Amino acid sequence: MRLKNYAMGEWVEGTGKGTDLFHAVTGEKIAEASSEGLDFKAMLEYGRSVGGPALRRMTFHERARMLKALATYLTARKEQFYKVSAATGATKGDSWIDIDGGFGTLFTYASKGRRELPDEPFHVDGATEALSKGGAFVGRHICVPLEGVGVQINAFNFPVWGMLEKLSTSLLAGVPAIVKPATVTSFLTEAVARAIVESRILPPGAFQLICGSAGDLMEHLTCQDTVAFTGSASTGHMLKTSRAVIENSVRFNQEADSLNYSMLGPDAEPGTPEFDLFVKEVVKEMTVKAGQKCTAIRRTFVPAGVVDAVVDALRQRLAGVRIGDPTVEGVRMGPLAGRSQVREVRSSVDRLRQDAELVWGDTLDVVGADPEKGAFFPTMLLYDDQPFRKTTPHDVEAFGPVNTVMPYGSLDEAIELAKLGKGSLVGSLFTADDGVARSVALGTAAYHGRLMLVNRHSAKESTGHGSPLPHLVHGGPGRAGGGEEMGGIRGVMHYMQRTAIQGSPTTLARVTGEWTQGAAERRDRVHPFRKYFDELEIGDTLVTHRRTITEADVVNFAGLSGDFFYAHMDDIAARESIFERRVAHGYFVISAAAGLFVDPAPGPVLANYGLEGLRFVKPVYIGDTIRARLTCKSKTAKEDREGQVPQGVVAWDVEVTNQDDEPVAVYTILTLVRRLTEGASGGNGNSTHGDAERALASQAPDAFKSPERMVRTEPGSAPVRAS
């Protein structure tokens, strides 16, 4: 079988001899890979000119629904990928991490995109910044998709997850990708890529694949392109220092070699749950994926007094690990990905043994396969008795089932040992002492991208030392590459340009689609709570009638709420306080404000959805008179669900002022507001604008259109909607 590349919308077979790919268990040739003959410059231009515009026409919510559809499609076909994955030497558990882990990352970003990002093609970052005394000149930050291509170069150990964890963030950001998997396991990546293309879920140009060498791809990068690289530090350095990357300041995210640590706390003596959990985790990280994980434990730090107990416990547990063909019952660890990895790991172990003695792993017993044909390697445990003087284990990574145990005398020594790795992806600590956890976390955080602090209470639900999660950052400083992937929406922002914009509040509200203090307001005789979601305009404002706060109000609210705080109820104590006299309850003030602006009759408003950013900025005294201003700040249509009334979330900016027009409370309330059913009209219902909006939206895949997507208009203008 000869693998194909997916370039410019077509499957293309590379020319030339190609690279032979082998079954990791049997050693048999199973495929050839070649990218010779591809026009890499044209592939980049195709992504920029076809894929990029198509993705940028979609909103975050549309892209998120696209990711969900893709994850669902791939999950339904995962069994066929498991069969292919077996040729990489993966056990079923190894394949689950790679395949289901990759699909799960797509699902996570699909969810986060809809919950944490707006139904817009861009993101407004942070609050409005006041830049002038009068408030007529303000600033904001927006994040927009880069108009290039995300070049994504992945390592051999995770042919599926490695592709999808990068792809999920770039596609959600609106940036197309060219995926370059490591050649040795690219046959599995190609299998999943074929399903991605066959699904027809992604717009043309959003995804391309290179199975083989990247050729001169890096030479054609521009300032709008990005590179996300996972692999060896030497290869990363070569790519990062290429001419185009340097001259065009190309964003380059690197994840490289990592000498991750796991530490046994000084309190975790033999017989404690933490000791047993530690031993189990170290062995798991040595054997899952045959130790071929960038997050695997390479350095193990234990108190000097328990070294013998730890080594004996690790030996005993390692003795129960059967190595062989993963399809054979009872086999817990398969081979490395290829014979070349066997040679590399052996070479690294030889270097490690210059400073550390081998305490486990002299022989290799393989079940159900020929160790001379497959890429098998034994589990190896080493011991470095003087880790501050014999430092090779802090400098050399054996990317396989290899670990080095090192003693420490004090907690300060253990922290210093962790730092000797010169930057790692992850460290873990097993301790029941939260004081120890604090010291180690703060002492080693600057050198690590993630820290896992485990005790008997968290262990049952812990995801493990070696499991990167889409919610948390994956990357690390120094030797680990200095990069950062995932981390929730943080990973999406790597593919976006943050730009400061300045102007009048009204202009910025028009640009961002979000009302801000000082922007134009739109007032009419129709109460905003009488308007459907589709009819509401950004800037629609209600200024209420007034209410004077009485002593009876304060006393009654105290009795109703049970809040008899002295500042509200005790004249003498209040006079001696910072308030100097009795004040109304803050929560009474916002309750009274609700009474001022709420329209009581049934209407389009379905429910109060929440309250954000509440600040009491000035006390309200008995005798003060308050009023409220309610302004439509932003709108987000919710997805239609069977049996649910069509609805959207409206954010209202609320400012409560006193008789001197001084703000006393500011906050945002969220309401669920009914949407008009399809085809219904409301407000001024301009069908011409609605048709234009639909025509624009039609350029994005139909399955991911935003329901009732609104055309943003200048505050104060007539409503325009897609009917």
Side-chain angles (χ1 to χ4, degrees):
M1 179 181 73
R2 195 170 180 92
L3 303 185
K4 290 187 177 181
N5 308 276
Y6 189 66
M8 295 177 283
E10 296 182 353
W11 286 103
V12 182
E13 187 174 293
T15 59
K17 181 179 181 301
T19 300
D20 293 337
L21 308 182
F22 301 93
H23 196 294
V25 176
T26 66
E28 297 176 356
K29 178 180 173 180
I30 56 175
E32 293 179 0
S34 172
S35 61
E36 190 175 334
L38 293 181
D39 187 336
F40 297 109
K41 182 178 181 181
M43 289 178 68
L44 285 165
E45 184 54 37
Y46 181 76
R48 297 183 195 119
S49 61
V50 178
L55 288 170
R56 292 195 297 274
R57 282 192 290 267
M58 302 168 69
T59 69
F60 283 114
H61 288 200
E62 290 164 350
R63 297 174 203 144
R65 287 193 286 272
M66 177 181 72
L67 294 184
K68 182 179 180 180
L70 182 60
T72 302
Y73 185 90
L74 294 176
T75 299
R77 291 155 179 78
K78 68 179 182 180
E79 291 306 320
Q80 69 188 56
F81 306 136
Y82 269 76
K83 294 177 182 178
V84 180
S85 180
T88 70
T91 64
K92 187 173 183 179
D94 296 339
S95 295
W96 180 84
I97 295 171
D98 186 28
I99 296 170
D100 290 73
F103 301 164
T105 300
L106 283 174
F107 276 121
T108 297
Y109 274 99
S111 175
K112 282 188 167 290
R114 296 193 307 278
R115 288 187 292 108
E116 300 179 31
L117 292 170
D119 195 13
E120 291 279 10
F122 61 92
H123 171 60
V124 180
D125 182 27
T128 301
E129 299 288 346
L131 304 177
S132 64
K133 185 176 181 179
F137 188 64
V138 297
R140 299 209 74 173
H141 291 87
I142 59 172
C143 298
V144 298
L146 291 171
E147 297 189 357
V149 172
V151 174
Q152 300 171 0
I153 303 172
N154 300 313
F156 68 85
N157 52 335
F158 286 104
V160 180
W161 177 85
M163 169 174 64
L164 296 181
E165 61 97 3
K166 292 180 174 66
L167 200 59
S168 58
T169 51
S170 68
L171 291 179
L172 183 55
V175 176
I178 294 178
V179 175
K180 162 64 180 80
T183 306
V184 67
T185 54
S186 58
F187 54 87
L188 176 53
T189 309
E190 193 231 34
V192 177
R194 284 190 176 277
I196 291 174
V197 173
E198 289 165 2
S199 74
R200 300 177 64 85
I201 290 172
L202 302 184
F207 172 79
Q208 297 181 80
L209 177 73
I210 300 172
C211 292
S213 168
D216 64 352
L217 179 71
M218 301 292 290
E219 297 178 16
H220 306 294
L221 298 179
T222 71
C223 67
Q224 289 292 301
D225 299 315
T226 65
V227 178
F229 168 79
T230 300
S232 70
S234 58
T235 301
H237 178 75
M238 176 189 69
L239 296 175
K240 195 173 185 178
T241 56
S242 60
R243 179 193 56 79
V245 170
I246 293 175
E247 291 183 359
N248 297 318
S249 298
V250 174
R251 295 188 190 185
F252 193 102
N253 192 87
Q254 177 175 313
E255 181 210 312
D257 308 330
S258 182
L259 291 163
N260 313 295
Y261 81 82
S262 188
M263 184 187 301
L264 183 66
D267 59 295
E269 298 179 347
T272 63
E274 286 71 28
F275 182 93
D276 295 337
L277 290 167
F278 171 78
V279 170
K280 180 180 179 180
E281 191 73 10
V282 170
V283 171
K284 184 181 79 171
E285 288 301 315
M286 289 179 66
T287 55
V288 170
K289 293 286 290 185
Q292 298 174 112
K293 295 199 304 179
C294 54
T295 53
I297 297 170
R298 308 299 181 195
R299 301 177 300 149
T300 299
F301 307 136
V302 301
V306 298
V307 166
D308 290 342
V310 169
V311 171
D312 287 344
L314 291 173
R315 282 174 176 157
Q316 183 176 349
R317 200 168 187 93
L318 287 169
V321 177
R322 298 183 72 190
I323 302 172
D325 183 345
T327 63
V328 175
E329 185 72 26
V331 168
R332 288 181 52 194
M333 190 180 94
L336 303 183
R339 296 295 299 176
S340 61
Q341 277 68 51
V342 172
R343 292 189 292 272
E344 289 180 9
V345 175
R346 176 64 68 182
S347 175
S348 296
V349 169
D350 290 342
R351 294 174 63 191
L352 288 171
R353 293 186 67 175
Q354 295 173 8
D355 278 348
E357 63 174 308
L358 185 67
V359 294
W360 174 264
D362 286 327
T363 59
L364 175 62
D365 295 321
V366 175
V367 178
D370 186 341
E372 298 301 319
K373 294 181 179 179
F376 295 96
F377 197 88
T379 56
M380 285 190 168
L381 186 68
L382 296 96
Y383 175 61
D384 180 352
D385 61 346
Q386 299 181 58
F388 284 105
R389 188 174 68 85
K390 301 175 181 178
T391 59
T392 303
H394 302 301
D395 298 321
V396 175
E397 179 185 22
F399 202 76
V402 181
N403 191 359
T404 303
V405 176
M406 307 178 215
Y408 68 84
S410 67
L411 195 59
D412 287 341
E413 282 190 6
I415 291 171
E416 291 306 311
L417 287 175
K419 294 179 181 180
L420 290 180
K422 302 179 184 67
S424 301
L425 296 172
V426 58
S428 59
L429 168 69
F430 290 76
T431 179
D433 188 331
D434 289 341
V436 169
R438 173 183 168 87
S439 296
V440 173
L442 298 182
T444 65
Y447 288 77
H448 294 82
R450 176 169 59 90
L451 295 171
M452 187 182 76
L453 312 172
V454 185
N455 58 28
R456 67 197 71 182
H457 306 297
S458 65
K460 186 176 182 180
E461 296 185 351
S462 167
T463 52
H465 168 104
S467 299
L469 299 172
H471 315 73
L472 303 177
V473 295
H474 176 54
R479 188 198 301 273
E484 183 182 281
E485 294 178 331
M486 298 191 297
I489 299 304
R490 298 173 187 85
V492 179
M493 295 303 149
H494 295 323
Y495 292 94
M496 307 194 81
Q497 174 62 42
R498 182 181 290 106
T499 301
I501 56 174
Q502 301 168 282
S504 75
T506 299
T507 299
L508 267 56
R510 176 69 176 89
V511 171
T512 64
E514 182 177 305
W515 186 88
T516 188
Q517 189 78 26
E521 300 172 5
R522 180 179 182 272
R523 306 181 189 185
D524 59 31
R525 288 176 293 178
V526 180
H527 193 291
F529 280 16
R530 306 306 303 169
K531 297 180 180 181
Y532 285 87
F533 180 90
D534 316 68
E535 299 170 323
L536 280 166
E537 285 296 313
I538 304 302
D540 275 358
T541 298
L542 171 71
V543 177
T544 70
H545 58 283
R546 296 179 175 84
R547 172 173 178 166
T548 299
I549 307 302
T550 66
E551 183 178 17
D553 290 330
V554 176
V555 172
N556 289 337
F557 190 81
L560 181 65
S561 65
D563 180 356
F564 293 94
F565 188 61
Y566 74 87
H568 311 308
M569 305 301 295
D570 188 329
D571 281 315
I572 296 174
R575 283 199 299 270
E576 296 173 349
S577 73
I578 61 173
F579 300 107
E580 299 181 340
R581 52 197 170 102
R582 286 169 65 189
V583 296
H585 303 72
Y587 294 112
F588 169 71
V589 172
I590 62 173
S591 297
L596 292 173
F597 62 67
V598 166
D599 186 86
V605 175
L606 302 172
N608 185 336
Y609 193 62
L611 183 150
E612 297 176 341
L614 173 62
R615 294 292 183 272
F616 298 116
V617 295
K618 193 175 183 65
V620 175
Y621 296 99
I622 294 170
D624 281 356
T625 299
I626 64 170
R627 75 188 309 180
R629 174 192 50 75
L630 179 81
T631 302
C632 181
K633 181 180 179 180
S634 64
K635 300 167 42 177
T636 303
K638 297 189 70 177
E639 291 182 57
D640 289 333
R641 294 182 180 177
E642 187 175 351
Q644 184 183 75
V645 173
Q647 58 192 248
V649 177
V650 179
W652 305 87
D653 186 273
V654 181
E655 181 183 62
V656 184
T657 55
N658 61 19
Q659 65 276 4
D660 298 320
D661 288 330
E662 299 170 322
V664 297
V666 293
Y667 51 99
T668 298
I669 61 170
L670 308 174
T671 58
L672 290 177
V673 180
R674 184 191 294 266
R675 288 192 285 114
L676 292 167
T677 55
E678 187 174 356
S681 63
N684 292 329
N686 190 321
S687 61
T688 301
H689 285 278
D691 291 341
E693 178 67 359
R694 284 194 299 274
L696 176 63
S698 69
Q699 299 176 60
D702 288 340
F704 317 113
K705 300 290 170 50
S706 294
E708 304 288 344
R709 177 143 167 74
M710 297 295 294
V711 179
R712 299 297 185 183
T713 62
E714 186 72 35
S717 65
V720 178
R721 62 178 178 81
S723 60

